[in-house]
Amino acid sequence: MKHIGLFITLLTSGLLLKAQTKQYDIFTYTPPTGFVLKEQKQRLLYEKTEGNSFCQLYVWPAQQGSNDPDANFKTDWDYFAAKPYNLANEPDKQTEKQNGWDVVTGVGPVTKDGTNFIVAVSTFTQNNISWCAITIFNEEKYVPVIDQFLLNIKADSKKFTRSKTEPVINANPAANNTGITISTTNFDDGWKATPTSDYVQVTKAGTEVRLHYINSRLDDSRPNTIDAPEFYWSHIVQPAFTVSSPQKWSGVEYPVIYFMQGNAVNKQTGKSCYVAMKVIYEGGARVVVVITPDANTYQQQFPHPNDINKMTIYNKFAVAAKDIIGTWNKAGGGGVEYYNAYTGGYTGMSAISTTDEFTFNTNNTYQSVHNSANTNSGNTQFSALKYNGKFSVSNWELMATNRVGGKTKKFWCQLEAVKGGFILVLTDSDYEPLKYILYKKK
């Protein structure tokens, strides 16, 4: 290899190989001559081996990314090059335009199991759609073939579709007074969610589900003499529906099922319907009301009261940058007291408290502070982490630069409606148990 800082330069169209084009994902491409197609399901992979020489060409399906080309490249480089090959140094990079896409290419040398080779990552970005090509080779003679292959790929962003697990947001929302930019989420399974002042309204083919917000004032007002189903039924269902003979769940199960249902008349429309209500205790009383045209329609969708629980996941809304400008924080902690098993005497306490605070600024910079205090047998240790960098938001992803080790971090992000506003949920994409549930600081 003559030099390490090798960039994959694009050739002119007159040098393109003349071969029959093929389709993969959103791409139309020309197969490289002499290469063997090894895979075309999870990814597209062509490979050629000549003695000790080899070249592998990977193309990964398009996905929703950031509209920041450098952020998308950073994610791809870390995932496909830095982590698998333990590359600590930043790659040599080049940026350019290709067929309407912003392209960032990074190249780095690798030595593994006694073999020297080059890994190159090319990330293509158009709006918030991103895809990448990975090339691994050990001879410069493959560079023209790589150039021809990449230049000949035509990516049609209009063919891009989201994954089945990712909800589709209203791309051009109408003006709304919900306090967020994108106030409607259209899920792939047909459900549509919209926040209101008292609940999230989720609808699908004549069925309406109301995800009422936790109301601590209402919860605290319930007398011990009134069971939860009757209490919330009287405060939430009866004001909106006339139900002649509501039935209360009588099954014996654990956790206890708080549930009522019955034929009803909608007081606002005067139409007959069927209403069911379940109280789910998670951080407070989450009251879910289901309204269907009749009992059969209800039973087909929710055969058991516990089937209603799944509806709580539809309180989920996409994030726009201007929605999160400001300071968001959370606090948490816990403790354990210890006693001698033989004497019953108190032997001490262990406790930990944590605070996390994120500030997002209008110039696309952010700061975050993470404090913790760990107390054990009277001794307290304090620690603090602070990060500053750039951020970008693309509906369900938030990219933040300069996190641990100076690396860019991808967070899955979403807004969840609560009484009087929204909370911001940031989930570490590399370690999903790490989740920040943040409230806007007044």
Side-chain angles (χ1 to χ4, degrees), residues 321-372:
K322 68 179 182 180
D323 296 331
I324 61 172
I325 298 302
T327 299
W328 301 73
N329 56 21
K330 83 160 194 176
V336 177
E337 292 184 319
Y338 297 97
Y339 295 85
N340 188 295
Y342 299 100
T343 66
Y346 179 73
T347 60
M349 178 181 180
S350 177
I352 186 170
S353 62
T354 61
T355 61
D356 300 285
E357 184 172 281
F358 288 77
T359 299
F360 299 100
N361 303 307
T362 55
N363 62 354
N364 294 326
T365 62
Y366 83 94
Q367 303 85 41
S368 72
V369 180
H370 310 271
N371 295 312
S372 67

Side-chain angles (χ1 to χ4, degrees), residues 278-326:
K278 186 176 184 188
V279 184
I280 303 169
Y281 280 97
E282 291 179 357
R286 300 176 182 270
V287 180
V288 181
V289 178
V290 181
I291 306 110
T292 62
D294 50 57
N296 288 336
T297 303
Y298 169 79
Q299 194 62 32
Q300 289 174 3
Q301 298 180 80
F302 305 97
H304 190 279
N306 286 342
D307 294 328
I308 293 177
N309 294 36
K310 65 187 178 185
M311 298 304 299
T312 59
I313 67 171
Y314 294 100
N315 183 354
K316 179 177 182 178
F317 301 92
V319 180
K322 68 179 182 180
D323 296 331
I324 61 172
I325 298 302

Side-chain angles (χ1 to χ4, degrees), residues 182-196:
I182 305 169
S183 62
T184 299
T185 306
N186 295 297
F187 294 85
D188 279 345
D189 57 5
W191 291 103
K192 175 182 177 181
T194 305
T196 72

Side-chain angles (χ1 to χ4, degrees), residues 388-427:
N388 297 275
K390 291 279 190 177
F391 80 95
S392 62
V393 176
S394 177
N395 295 337
W396 308 106
E397 292 181 2
L398 185 147
M399 306 295 295
T401 67
N402 200 32
R403 299 296 292 176
V404 178
K407 295 182 177 180
T408 296
K409 169 63 64 178
K410 178 195 290 186
F411 294 96
W412 309 126
C413 67
Q414 66 186 62
L415 292 167
E416 294 182 6
V418 295
K419 189 70 174 178
F422 293 83
I423 60 175
L424 174 64
V425 181
L426 299 179
T427 303

Side-chain angles (χ1 to χ4, degrees), residues 227 249 251-258 278-279 281 306:
D227 199 13
W249 177 258
V252 179
E253 292 191 31
Y254 185 82
V256 178
I257 294 176
Y258 303 104
K278 186 176 184 188
V279 184
Y281 280 97
N306 286 342

